[in-house]
Amino acid sequence: RYENRDDTSMADNAGVLREGSPILATGEAVLAPSLSVDAMMGALDTRERNGVIFSNSAGNYVCNNTAYWMAHWFRAPGSPGFAFIHVPNTRCTPERADPNRLGSKISQMLLAAIHR
């Protein structure tokens, strides 16, 4: 779920501190991914599911802001849908940080959800 809430403890690049203000003044309080999480998980075998964790939150300021806007834009009729995916950083274990493996896994998940 993506909340219509800008919230950070630090000022942005323009020096603006955003604490609990809406991202979109006329937007819904919460938006959800429009792609099926069940379909995405179903695309992976047991071994591939290792390390895949679904969360009810995109995080805070930057991630939530990005996810909220994308979910808002991709609600249009005919849209292929949207889901926000956090990708592990390069300080993870070598297996989890392998870009080819991550790209393949994410592609499988998205294709399954889009073609559902």
Side-chain angles (χ1 to χ4, degrees):
R1 60 184 251 158
Y2 318 122
E3 297 183 26
N4 188 8
R5 171 190 48 82
D6 265 344
D7 200 17
T8 183
S9 59
M10 296 173 57
D12 65 16
N13 291 343
V16 177
L17 183 62
R18 300 166 188 220
E19 293 182 303
S21 59
I23 294 168
L24 180 60
T26 59
E28 295 180 40
V30 175
L31 294 175
S34 54
L35 292 178
S36 169
V37 171
D38 291 338
M40 287 191 275
M41 277 304 274
L44 303 175
D45 64 30
T46 304
R47 185 177 126 324
E48 291 171 318
R49 286 185 193 146
N50 184 32
V52 176
I53 301 166
F54 286 95
S55 171
N56 287 329
S57 172
N60 287 322
Y61 178 56
V62 174
C63 293
N64 181 67
N65 193 298
T66 302
Y68 186 86
W69 275 111
M70 296 298 288
H72 175 75
W73 289 325
F74 278 92
R75 292 181 339 155
S79 165
F82 172 76
F84 186 81
I85 300 173
H86 275 114
V87 178
N89 68 40
T90 56
R91 290 178 289 211
C92 290
T93 62
E95 180 179 305
R96 290 189 69 198
D98 176 2
N100 292 323
R101 186 180 180 136
L102 289 171
S104 176
K105 187 182 290 193
I106 291 169
S107 293
Q108 276 181 268
M109 295 169 73
L110 291 174
L111 286 170
I114 290 168
H115 295 296
R116 182 176 184 190

